[in-house]
Amino acid sequence: MPPSDAAGEVVCDGACEDVGACKNAAASGINPSRGAAANMTMNTNMATGAKRCRTNFKLVVPIDVMSMMIESRAIVTTRPTELEGMDEPDASQADMDASFKFIRRVNRLAGGFWAFKRAIRVALHARGHNTEPLEILDVGTGCADLPIAIVAWALRHNISIRVTAIDPHAGSIAAAHECLSEFGPNANFIQLEQCGLDDVAQHWRKRKWDVVHAAMMLHHFPDDMVPAALASMARASCGLVVWNDLWRTPMSAAIVHALTLFSSEFVRHDARLSVAKGFSKSEILRHVSRAGLRTDTLSMNPFTARFLLLATPVD
């Protein structure tokens, strides 16, 4: 059986071009059959010269055959372009709140917070002994459940962070304000703005964040807009771009079908459509490459139907 990590994830360094043995692994003397790991050190120095990020990543040889088998039927399908209900400008606040309640549950059960925390630890390691607060931009924050969870975790571990959470939808901002009101004084560590990704450069001129994070957001975009969105995230980051989203597989479709059997029609429609609008491994790597980013780590978990990608701009 091909190697995988302890969490049952398919892990990739993004270098593979087709199904089969990893070309980079062979070139560097890594034995794919043993699942050996390699360390990569990279430097990113943005044109502003404001910050310099240095990150050590542990990479595991890609498991293309396994990912292809898991995707099976889904790999030959195309992503639908139908809008989810919550993307409609006339979506009711009650429907939005019901969707966010479901999303919060999915993030807890399917590792959305775990993925965010993993990215923060990578960024902290890159900063070394820097005592300044870690600056995070959360794109498409929704009800801000992940920023709230990551701030609570950071405070418990004496980690200094500040989160800027943005979303273009008024219904999302309303839900986020409601959640933040229950967070007490710790909500001061989160700046909430109704703002789209395209507006970041104008809203915050020349500002860079240590981590630019998007969870369950880019699957709302059609294929031709995903690379541009990733490129915008890269321009806002001083080094680390984090993409945490849905892996489109028959298993993920079956899981969400079961989870939404007793949900409202609005939630059931959006949840099932979201999975159909998820990404295959080849699509993920293609979008990242077209955005001018280098894939440093790609972890894919078939049991949660989620993937986590850490990337940096290509010099």
Side-chain angles (χ1 to χ4, degrees):
M1 178 179 293
S4 61
D5 72 359
E9 295 177 338
V10 177
V11 185
C12 174
D13 68 354
C16 52
E17 298 177 359
D18 203 347
V19 175
C22 173
K23 297 179 180 179
N24 277 10
S28 59
I30 299 173
N31 185 351
S33 66
R34 297 174 58 189
N39 288 320
M40 175 180 291
T41 301
M42 58 185 175
N43 292 283
T44 302
N45 192 7
M46 304 300 292
T48 61
K51 294 185 180 180
R52 184 174 179 86
C53 298
R54 180 179 176 86
T55 310
N56 294 316
F57 292 102
K58 185 177 182 182
L59 305 181
V60 181
V61 176
I63 311 167
D64 295 310
V65 174
M66 179 180 286
S67 63
M68 185 188 72
M69 291 173 63
I70 293 171
E71 290 173 358
S72 60
R73 294 192 309 266
I75 202 169
V76 299
T77 65
T78 56
R79 299 177 61 236
T81 58
E82 178 186 352
L83 283 179
E84 294 179 36
M86 66 188 312
D87 293 328
E88 298 286 357
D90 59 349
S92 72
Q93 192 61 50
D95 284 335
M96 294 287 286
D97 290 342
S99 288
F100 286 131
K101 181 178 179 180
F102 177 79
I103 290 170
R104 287 196 298 269
R105 181 158 61 101
V106 169
N107 276 332
R108 288 195 302 269
L109 297 176
F113 168 64
W114 172 87
F116 200 176
K117 183 171 66 173
R118 177 177 171 185
I120 297 306
R121 283 175 167 163
V122 169
L124 288 170
H125 180 75
R127 285 160 50 92
H129 298 291
N130 190 332
T131 59
E132 292 294 318
L134 186 74
E135 299 282 353
I136 303 166
L137 175 64
D138 186 46
V139 181
T141 195
C143 63
D145 60 319
L146 290 180
I148 288 172
I150 206 69
V151 166
W153 168 79
L155 291 175
R156 288 195 303 270
H157 292 83
N158 296 316
I159 298 171
S160 180
I161 68 171
R162 287 196 297 256
V163 181
T164 304
I166 65 171
D167 200 294
H169 202 294
S172 299
I173 295 299
H177 276 302
E178 181 68 24
C179 291
L180 285 175
S181 68
E182 302 172 1
F183 196 37
N186 291 337
N188 294 328
F189 293 97
I190 301 174
Q191 178 186 357
L192 186 63
E193 297 284 347
Q194 185 173 348
C195 173
L197 184 56
D198 293 338
D199 302 321
V200 168
Q202 295 180 353
H203 203 79
W204 292 281
R205 295 185 181 277
K206 298 183 179 180
R207 182 174 176 183
K208 301 286 183 181
W209 286 264
D210 299 296
V211 178
V212 178
H213 170 268
M216 303 281 283
M217 192 272 287
L218 291 183
H219 73 263
H220 292 268
F221 288 40
D223 277 328
D224 59 347
M225 293 179 63
V226 174
L230 287 167
S232 295
M233 291 171 63
R235 287 192 293 271
S237 172
C238 79
L240 190 61
V241 173
V242 183
W243 182 13
N244 173 20
D245 220 310
L246 294 165
W247 185 12
R248 187 178 77 249
T249 70
M251 182 186 296
S252 62
I255 291 172
V256 78
H257 184 91
L259 287 175
T260 56
L261 281 175
F262 303 103
S263 299
S264 68
E265 182 180 353
F266 187 90
V267 172
R268 186 165 56 248
H269 169 271
D270 273 16
R272 295 176 182 182
L273 181 58
S274 288
V275 171
K277 295 177 74 171
F279 301 90
S280 68
K281 178 183 173 182
S282 61
E283 289 166 348
I284 297 164
L285 296 178
R286 182 173 69 249
H287 289 320
V288 170
S289 176
R290 289 178 177 175
L293 290 165
R294 175 176 52 214
T295 299
D296 300 307
T297 301
L298 174 59
S299 302
M300 310 182 76
N301 192 320
F303 303 108
T304 61
R306 298 284 283 264
F307 69 85
L308 172 65
L309 181 136
L310 306 181
T312 46
V314 176
D315 293 334

PDB file of all heavy atoms in Angstrom, residues 279-291:
ATOM      1  N   PHE A 279     -12.486  20.492  -5.412  1.00  0.00           N
ATOM      2  CA  PHE A 279     -11.384  20.395  -6.373  1.00  0.00           C
ATOM      3  C   PHE A 279     -10.745  19.010  -6.347  1.00  0.00           C
ATOM      4  O   PHE A 279     -10.652  18.379  -5.292  1.00  0.00           O
ATOM      5  CB  PHE A 279     -10.314  21.442  -6.050  1.00  0.00           C
ATOM      6  CG  PHE A 279     -10.814  22.854  -6.086  1.00  0.00           C
ATOM      7  CD1 PHE A 279     -11.337  23.447  -4.938  1.00  0.00           C
ATOM      8  CD2 PHE A 279     -10.774  23.600  -7.246  1.00  0.00           C
ATOM      9  CE1 PHE A 279     -11.805  24.748  -4.943  1.00  0.00           C
ATOM     10  CE2 PHE A 279     -11.247  24.914  -7.273  1.00  0.00           C
ATOM     11  CZ  PHE A 279     -11.766  25.487  -6.117  1.00  0.00           C
ATOM     12  N   SER A 280     -10.301  18.574  -7.515  1.00  0.00           N
ATOM     13  CA  SER A 280      -9.454  17.382  -7.588  1.00  0.00           C
ATOM     14  C   SER A 280      -8.005  17.818  -7.382  1.00  0.00           C
ATOM     15  O   SER A 280      -7.683  19.009  -7.450  1.00  0.00           O
ATOM     16  CB  SER A 280      -9.601  16.692  -8.950  1.00  0.00           C
ATOM     17  OG  SER A 280      -9.041  17.500  -9.975  1.00  0.00           O
ATOM     18  N   LYS A 281      -7.133  16.854  -7.162  1.00  0.00           N
ATOM     19  CA  LYS A 281      -5.728  17.183  -6.926  1.00  0.00           C
ATOM     20  C   LYS A 281      -5.111  17.908  -8.115  1.00  0.00           C
ATOM     21  O   LYS A 281      -4.397  18.907  -7.957  1.00  0.00           O
ATOM     22  CB  LYS A 281      -4.937  15.915  -6.613  1.00  0.00           C
ATOM     23  CG  LYS A 281      -3.451  16.170  -6.404  1.00  0.00           C
ATOM     24  CD  LYS A 281      -2.701  14.881  -6.163  1.00  0.00           C
ATOM     25  CE  LYS A 281      -1.208  15.157  -6.125  1.00  0.00           C
ATOM     26  NZ  LYS A 281      -0.416  13.922  -5.932  1.00  0.00           N
ATOM     27  N   SER A 282      -5.388  17.431  -9.320  1.00  0.00           N
ATOM     28  CA  SER A 282      -4.806  18.062 -10.510  1.00  0.00           C
ATOM     29  C   SER A 282      -5.296  19.495 -10.663  1.00  0.00           C
ATOM     30  O   SER A 282      -4.537  20.380 -11.076  1.00  0.00           O
ATOM     31  CB  SER A 282      -5.134  17.239 -11.761  1.00  0.00           C
ATOM     32  OG  SER A 282      -6.530  17.167 -11.968  1.00  0.00           O
ATOM     33  N   GLU A 283      -6.559  19.743 -10.334  1.00  0.00           N
ATOM     34  CA  GLU A 283      -7.095  21.097 -10.422  1.00  0.00           C
ATOM     35  C   GLU A 283      -6.423  22.013  -9.403  1.00  0.00           C
ATOM     36  O   GLU A 283      -6.090  23.168  -9.706  1.00  0.00           O
ATOM     37  CB  GLU A 283      -8.610  21.074 -10.189  1.00  0.00           C
ATOM     38  CG  GLU A 283      -9.389  20.442 -11.332  1.00  0.00           C
ATOM     39  CD  GLU A 283     -10.829  20.116 -10.951  1.00  0.00           C
ATOM     40  OE1 GLU A 283     -11.162  20.170  -9.746  1.00  0.00           O
ATOM     41  OE2 GLU A 283     -11.611  19.781 -11.869  1.00  0.00           O
ATOM     42  N   ILE A 284      -6.214  21.518  -8.200  1.00  0.00           N
ATOM     43  CA  ILE A 284      -5.553  22.313  -7.154  1.00  0.00           C
ATOM     44  C   ILE A 284      -4.172  22.756  -7.622  1.00  0.00           C
ATOM     45  O   ILE A 284      -3.828  23.946  -7.584  1.00  0.00           O
ATOM     46  CB  ILE A 284      -5.438  21.500  -5.853  1.00  0.00           C
ATOM     47  CG1 ILE A 284      -6.814  21.159  -5.295  1.00  0.00           C
ATOM     48  CG2 ILE A 284      -4.614  22.261  -4.817  1.00  0.00           C
ATOM     49  CD1 ILE A 284      -6.789  20.061  -4.249  1.00  0.00           C
ATOM     50  N   LEU A 285      -3.383  21.807  -8.081  1.00  0.00           N
ATOM     51  CA  LEU A 285      -2.005  22.116  -8.482  1.00  0.00           C
ATOM     52  C   LEU A 285      -1.971  23.011  -9.708  1.00  0.00           C
ATOM     53  O   LEU A 285      -1.101  23.884  -9.830  1.00  0.00           O
ATOM     54  CB  LEU A 285      -1.251  20.812  -8.741  1.00  0.00           C
ATOM     55  CG  LEU A 285      -1.061  19.910  -7.523  1.00  0.00           C
ATOM     56  CD1 LEU A 285      -0.346  18.616  -7.925  1.00  0.00           C
ATOM     57  CD2 LEU A 285      -0.290  20.621  -6.428  1.00  0.00           C
ATOM     58  N   ARG A 286      -2.920  22.825 -10.629  1.00  0.00           N
ATOM     59  CA  ARG A 286      -2.962  23.671 -11.823  1.00  0.00           C
ATOM     60  C   ARG A 286      -3.291  25.118 -11.449  1.00  0.00           C
ATOM     61  O   ARG A 286      -2.646  26.053 -11.931  1.00  0.00           O
ATOM     62  CB  ARG A 286      -3.996  23.136 -12.813  1.00  0.00           C
ATOM     63  CG  ARG A 286      -4.058  23.944 -14.117  1.00  0.00           C
ATOM     64  CD  ARG A 286      -4.955  23.297 -15.147  1.00  0.00           C
ATOM     65  NE  ARG A 286      -6.361  23.356 -14.757  1.00  0.00           N
ATOM     66  CZ  ARG A 286      -7.084  22.308 -14.416  1.00  0.00           C
ATOM     67  NH1 ARG A 286      -6.539  21.107 -14.389  1.00  0.00           N
ATOM     68  NH2 ARG A 286      -8.359  22.447 -14.094  1.00  0.00           N
ATOM     69  N   HIS A 287      -4.269  25.307 -10.579  1.00  0.00           N
ATOM     70  CA  HIS A 287      -4.642  26.668 -10.173  1.00  0.00           C
ATOM     71  C   HIS A 287      -3.488  27.351  -9.443  1.00  0.00           C
ATOM     72  O   HIS A 287      -3.229  28.545  -9.661  1.00  0.00           O
ATOM     73  CB  HIS A 287      -5.867  26.623  -9.259  1.00  0.00           C
ATOM     74  CG  HIS A 287      -7.139  26.246  -9.960  1.00  0.00           C
ATOM     75  ND1 HIS A 287      -7.462  26.702 -11.222  1.00  0.00           N
ATOM     76  CD2 HIS A 287      -8.188  25.457  -9.565  1.00  0.00           C
ATOM     77  CE1 HIS A 287      -8.640  26.219 -11.583  1.00  0.00           C
ATOM     78  NE2 HIS A 287      -9.093  25.467 -10.601  1.00  0.00           N
ATOM     79  N   VAL A 288      -2.813  26.624  -8.579  1.00  0.00           N
ATOM     80  CA  VAL A 288      -1.703  27.203  -7.816  1.00  0.00           C
ATOM     81  C   VAL A 288      -0.570  27.607  -8.749  1.00  0.00           C
ATOM     82  O   VAL A 288       0.021  28.689  -8.613  1.00  0.00           O
ATOM     83  CB  VAL A 288      -1.214  26.200  -6.751  1.00  0.00           C
ATOM     84  CG1 VAL A 288       0.083  26.678  -6.123  1.00  0.00           C
ATOM     85  CG2 VAL A 288      -2.277  26.007  -5.680  1.00  0.00           C
ATOM     86  N   SER A 289      -0.265  26.755  -9.722  1.00  0.00           N
ATOM     87  CA  SER A 289       0.795  27.069 -10.675  1.00  0.00           C
ATOM     88  C   SER A 289       0.455  28.298 -11.504  1.00  0.00           C
ATOM     89  O   SER A 289       1.298  29.175 -11.727  1.00  0.00           O
ATOM     90  CB  SER A 289       1.025  25.857 -11.588  1.00  0.00           C
ATOM     91  OG  SER A 289       1.986  26.148 -12.578  1.00  0.00           O
ATOM     92  N   ARG A 290      -0.782  28.383 -11.961  1.00  0.00           N
ATOM     93  CA  ARG A 290      -1.196  29.528 -12.778  1.00  0.00           C
ATOM     94  C   ARG A 290      -1.219  30.824 -11.975  1.00  0.00           C
ATOM     95  O   ARG A 290      -1.119  31.910 -12.552  1.00  0.00           O
ATOM     96  CB  ARG A 290      -2.570  29.262 -13.383  1.00  0.00           C
ATOM     97  CG  ARG A 290      -2.540  28.194 -14.488  1.00  0.00           C
ATOM     98  CD  ARG A 290      -3.936  27.909 -15.035  1.00  0.00           C
ATOM     99  NE  ARG A 290      -3.875  26.943 -16.133  1.00  0.00           N
ATOM    100  CZ  ARG A 290      -4.936  26.429 -16.737  1.00  0.00           C
ATOM    101  NH1 ARG A 290      -6.154  26.797 -16.354  1.00  0.00           N
ATOM    102  NH2 ARG A 290      -4.801  25.554 -17.712  1.00  0.00           N
ATOM    103  N   ALA A 291      -1.352  30.708 -10.669  1.00  0.00           N
ATOM    104  CA  ALA A 291      -1.350  31.892  -9.806  1.00  0.00           C
ATOM    105  C   ALA A 291       0.061  32.387  -9.513  1.00  0.00           C
ATOM    106  O   ALA A 291       0.230  33.415  -8.850  1.00  0.00           O
ATOM    107  CB  ALA A 291      -2.070  31.581  -8.495  1.00  0.00           C
TER     108      ALA A 291
END
